[in-house]
Amino acid sequence: MATPYHDRKISDPAMNPGDEPYFAAAAEGRLLVKTCNACAQAHHYPRTFCPFCWSSDVAWSDATGTGVIYTFSIMRRGASGPYCIAYVTLDEGPVMMTNIVDVDLDDIRIGQRVKAVMKRSENGTAIPMFTLAEHP
Ligand SMILES: [Zn+2]
């Protein structure tokens, strides 16, 4: 069985105060995470305080953009055709809800290595998503 990937319309992201650096970096093909200067742990989604030690001394840092599929689901209904929602554990530690793109959806497995790729929402905002690091 094969479920070829098709690009679909992606809703524009909610732009919260402080999110600009994240999307500006994404437009350059880079993935940012917030890292705590007090306990050195990274987190996602971005917050103004550290969810581990509650320090407000958090700053953006470049992530490697690589990680592992923790779990995923293929959405087969809907006008946009099938797509894959996944939780990816970044190599920096945070778990990120995202889409797996650019691969046959039937080739996706838990535990696979993935790397970030950018997709554009309807207004052109770059959205970090992930594809398989090694295509099967
Ligand atoms: Zn912390």
Side-chain angles (χ1 to χ4, degrees), residues 83-115:
Y83 63 100
C84 177
I85 289 186
Y87 284 93
V88 165
T89 306
L90 301 178
D91 288 342
E92 289 75 21
V95 176
M96 194 171 161
M97 194 178 90
T98 185
N99 284 191
I100 307 298
V101 299
D102 295 345
V103 294
D104 190 301
L105 301 181
D106 290 330
D107 289 336
I108 297 168
R109 302 283 183 272
I110 288 170
Q112 278 170 327
R113 298 280 308 160
V114 291
K115 60 183 178 187

Side-chain angles (χ1 to χ4, degrees), residues 108-130:
I108 297 168
R109 302 283 183 272
I110 288 170
Q112 278 170 327
R113 298 280 308 160
V114 291
K115 60 183 178 187
V117 292
M118 302 303 158
K119 292 291 179 182
R120 300 276 170 174
S121 74
E122 290 185 281
N123 71 3
T125 304
I127 311 289
M129 293 186 172
F130 288 82

Side-chain angles (χ1 to χ4, degrees), residues 36 38-40 50 52-55:
C36 174
C39 74
C50 172
F52 303 104
C53 74
W54 311 108
S55 169

